[in-house]
Amino acid sequence: MTGLISGVARLRLAQLPTPIEPMPRLTAYMGGPQLFVKRDDLTGLGLGGNKVRKLEFVLPEAAAIGADTIICAGVTQSNTVRQVAAAAAKLGYECHCLIIGDRIKPEQYRLDDEYARSGNYLLDGLFGMHPHPCSIHDNRDQKQLELADQLRLTGKMPFVIPYGISNARGALGYVNFVIELASQLGTGDVPEQFDYLVHASGSAGTQAGLLVGTKAIIPGLRIVGIDVDADADRVHRDVVRVARATASLLGCDQTGLADLVTVLPGYAGPAYGVPTAEMVEAVRLFARLEGLVLDPVYSGKGAAGLIGLVRGGYFKPTDRVLFLHTGGWPALFSYASLFPV
Ligand SMILES: Cc1ncc(COP(=O)(O)O)c(C=O)c1O
């Protein structure tokens, strides 16, 4: 099975394999189907999450060009920036990030100023990330290139990480996830097969890797992406594009790949990062019934999607459904006002 990615350069950064756990109390509360969780919130580095898997396949490129500096971009509470900054710290790179401060307007959603200081952003500072202010209205890619030019003038050798770490190489992290999942099926509490995998989908690399991996190795497993960007058509297009690029990188058959893409709208709320009542309910249910911590922007909305699909009769009662916990929980602290104790 590992043959699919053998020969591809990889740097070990994540604590793997991540566990698969049954969620019996959530299953009972919902009245079925059988719900399980794969704990990619436990990938370790910099408090973990899905980006650590992607970085294992993207950062060898930085080493290959002799980089000493990493550049990336994200919102104030970006999980990507946190995990990139942690990896940069561990590997001894300088880290410079465009911080998009105005994609979410905290005051509009009754978030206090913790949004601008706490959670991921606090950790970015601890990991030594150098922030560069950016607006959602700026040309982000252009600004990253300009930042790279400026750093070159000071003698640095920068490497620019693609947005969300969602290019073909980043997606290999989730091809590798499927290889890992296949090796866990039928062991311990883990069933022989899952019928569905549900997860939060945004910049598309996670879902693209899952699709390429499952098509090759676990074809019976249906992948359901929950749009968290309030733009399911864009997410869908990006999943198709990145999945094709990933399949082509691995020399995999692309026939029918685009037909496998499911990105469901309806759970993001009015815009990215904006709290919804369904997300708050999902965060509370996972916490109270399973002791699991979700985040308000990604895994909380993914879980709201899972709960909405169960209630809407999307699954058969006998289905075995795996929720992919993609991490992100440090952001919860920057939304503290939504969860009064
Ligand atoms: C916690 C979390 N879950 C899910 C996602 C979505 O993954 P992708 O961008 O690969 O679609 C992200 C992306 O930032 C994330 O931080």
Side-chain angles (χ1 to χ4, degrees):
M1 268 184 300
T2 46
L4 200 53
I5 54 165
S6 63
V8 181
R10 176 182 174 195
L11 198 66
R12 304 285 172 143
L13 292 171
Q15 298 281 343
L16 302 178
T18 57
I20 298 176
E21 298 166 358
M23 296 195 283
R25 283 182 24 90
L26 184 63
T27 301
Y29 177 86
M30 298 303 301
Q34 277 179 262
L35 301 172
F36 295 79
V37 58
K38 178 131 166 92
R39 302 287 309 273
D40 269 18
D41 56 319
L42 300 181
T43 56
L45 184 64
L47 298 185
N50 62 339
K51 309 300 181 189
V52 183
R53 287 189 188 268
K54 298 178 178 187
L55 286 168
E56 289 198 338
F57 291 89
V58 168
L59 283 178
E61 288 193 294
I65 65 156
D68 56 15
T69 301
I70 302 290
I71 294 179
C72 84
V75 296
T76 310
Q77 287 298 332
S78 166
N79 298 302
T80 298
V81 170
R82 166 179 47 87
Q83 287 161 90
V84 167
K90 184 177 172 66
L91 299 170
Y93 292 114
E94 205 168 287
C95 181
H96 290 258
C97 298
L98 297 183
I99 300 296
I100 304 166
D102 57 355
R103 185 164 183 196
I104 296 172
K105 299 181 180 57
E107 62 287 359
Q108 218 171 317
Y109 306 113
R110 292 187 291 111
L111 304 174
D112 55 30
D113 70 352
E114 293 294 290
Y115 182 85
R117 294 188 292 116
S118 156
N120 282 313
Y121 196 68
L122 182 152
L123 295 168
D124 297 344
L126 273 184
F127 296 136
M129 183 272 288
H130 300 267
H132 300 262
C134 183
S135 163
I136 188 70
H137 306 295
D138 289 336
N139 181 336
R140 182 187 70 212
D141 295 341
Q142 181 61 32
K143 278 199 101 168
Q144 275 184 308
L145 295 178
E146 285 165 13
L147 180 57
D149 285 343
Q150 282 165 23
L151 288 165
R152 264 187 221 102
L153 287 176
T154 67
K156 299 286 178 196
M157 174 59 91
F159 175 80
V160 179
I161 303 257
Y163 199 69
I165 327 179
S166 280
N167 61 359
R169 280 196 183 270
L172 293 182
Y174 274 87
V175 175
N176 189 44
F177 168 100
V178 177
I179 294 168
E180 177 181 305
L181 173 61
S183 75
Q184 292 173 303
L185 294 176
T187 64
D189 285 338
V190 183
E192 296 285 334
Q193 173 67 301
F194 287 104
D195 301 287
Y196 291 91
L197 182 152
V198 178
H199 72 103
S201 197
S203 69
T206 301
Q207 191 166 358
L210 290 171
L211 286 166
V212 172
T214 49
K215 184 172 186 295
I217 301 173
I218 319 180
L221 175 58
R222 279 159 284 185
I223 306 296
V224 179
I226 305 294
D227 162 44
V228 295
D229 272 6
D231 194 356
D233 291 344
R234 197 232 84 227
V235 176
H236 191 288
R237 278 196 305 278
D238 282 350
V239 173
V240 173
R241 178 178 56 76
V242 181
R244 285 196 172 128
T246 310
S248 146
L249 182 68
L250 295 177
C252 290
D253 176 27
Q254 294 185 35
T255 320
L257 187 57
D259 301 332
L260 298 174
V261 179
T262 301
V263 177
L264 297 181
Y267 300 99
Y272 168 86
V274 174
T276 64
E278 294 79 5
M279 174 279 289
V280 171
E281 183 201 18
V283 171
R284 287 196 193 286
L285 282 178
F286 271 64
R288 293 201 183 169
L289 295 174
E290 298 293 346
L292 290 167
V293 183
L294 304 176
D295 80 284
V297 181
Y298 294 97
S299 54
K301 287 186 177 173
L306 173 73
I307 290 166
L309 293 175
V310 172
R311 287 185 178 142
Y314 192 87
F315 309 111
K316 294 199 295 292
T318 51
D319 279 339
R320 292 142 305 177
V321 180
L322 182 62
F323 178 69
L324 167 55
H325 189 336
T326 43
W329 58 263
L332 186 64
F333 299 102
S334 65
Y335 284 75
S337 52
L338 294 180
F339 301 96
V341 180

